[in-house]
Amino acid sequence: GESVGLHLPTLSVQEGDNSIINCAYSNSASDYFIWYKQESGKGPQFIIDIRSNMDKRQGQRVTVLLNKTVKHLSLQIAATQPGDSAVYFCAEGVNRDDKIIFGKGTRLHILP
Amino acid sequence: GAGVSQSPSNKVTEKGKDVELRCDPISGHTALYWYRQSLGQGLEFLIYFQGNSAPDKSGLPSDRFSAERTGGSVSTLTIQRTQQEDSAVYLCASSAGTAGDTQYFGPGTRLTVL
């Protein structure tokens, strides 16, 4: 089926360090992008989104960067905490009336 | 309710049996989505309902899968003649409007086909 993103990798980060999770998307026509966090046994939870007319957007401890030239999306988490342990998914959508497509995700593991 | 609910939370069935999975979206949300998530994998889009429009069924993997949404609210995903490869977590999400709005996910139904 349709897919976006890389094979599911695991990123291990020391508690307190910054985390950077990367995603490559496939459709150059996509005009909005979302990051979701999924904790074990739960459904995904919205973190932050960005439109294609922006290249950076900041939230609370999180920043999303969009590079349309190379079709790359990243999520930066500042001062990583144990509660940040989860699988992070990027997703893309072509227009507001279309479905969004999720990538396979990245597992973030926090080292004590 | 406060969020999206799904039932049952777990379903174990025998190969060849039919199953029905239920999703109650957030009240007032016009968009409803079904996804499938296999162990350690990403979310596979199945079907998307938006208001009274014809649903986008492009993600349904076979004709054994169907879904309906009654009265613009509750949705049921039906899998006929289940196969072992259907084993997965089935997630439902709803959003307030179009696909660009935040999707709120339910806890999922874990389906195991023996």
Side-chain angles (χ1 to χ4, degrees), chain A:
Chain A
E2 297 168 295
S3 65
V4 62
L6 306 173
H7 296 295
L8 178 63
T10 297
L11 175 66
S12 295
V13 175
Q14 204 76 36
E15 181 179 349
D17 287 352
N18 297 334
S19 302
I20 300 176
I21 301 170
N22 296 304
C23 174
Y25 64 93
S26 58
N27 191 343
S28 57
S30 292
D31 61 3
Y32 61 95
F33 306 87
I34 313 101
W35 280 100
Y36 281 85
K37 172 185 180 182
Q38 186 176 27
E39 296 175 280
S40 182
K42 298 182 180 179
Q45 185 176 27
F46 172 88
I47 302 174
I48 191 168
D49 62 2
I50 189 168
R51 301 285 163 168
S52 60
N53 61 351
M54 303 171 67
D55 54 19
K56 180 179 180 179
R57 191 172 185 205
Q58 288 185 298
Q60 185 178 11
R61 278 203 309 120
V62 295
T63 301
V64 55
L65 299 177
L66 175 63
N67 186 330
K68 295 183 289 294
T69 302
V70 295
K71 292 190 288 186
H72 184 267
L73 190 69
S74 69
L75 177 71
Q76 299 179 2
I77 304 173
T80 310
Q81 303 170 358
D84 296 328
S85 290
V87 176
Y88 290 80
F89 295 96
C90 65
E92 63 179 306
V94 174
N95 60 58
R96 287 185 62 82
D97 293 318
D98 202 356
K99 59 185 179 291
I100 61 172
I101 302 299
F102 283 77
K104 285 190 174 181
T106 297
R107 183 176 302 280
L108 179 63
H109 176 60
I110 311 304
L111 301 169

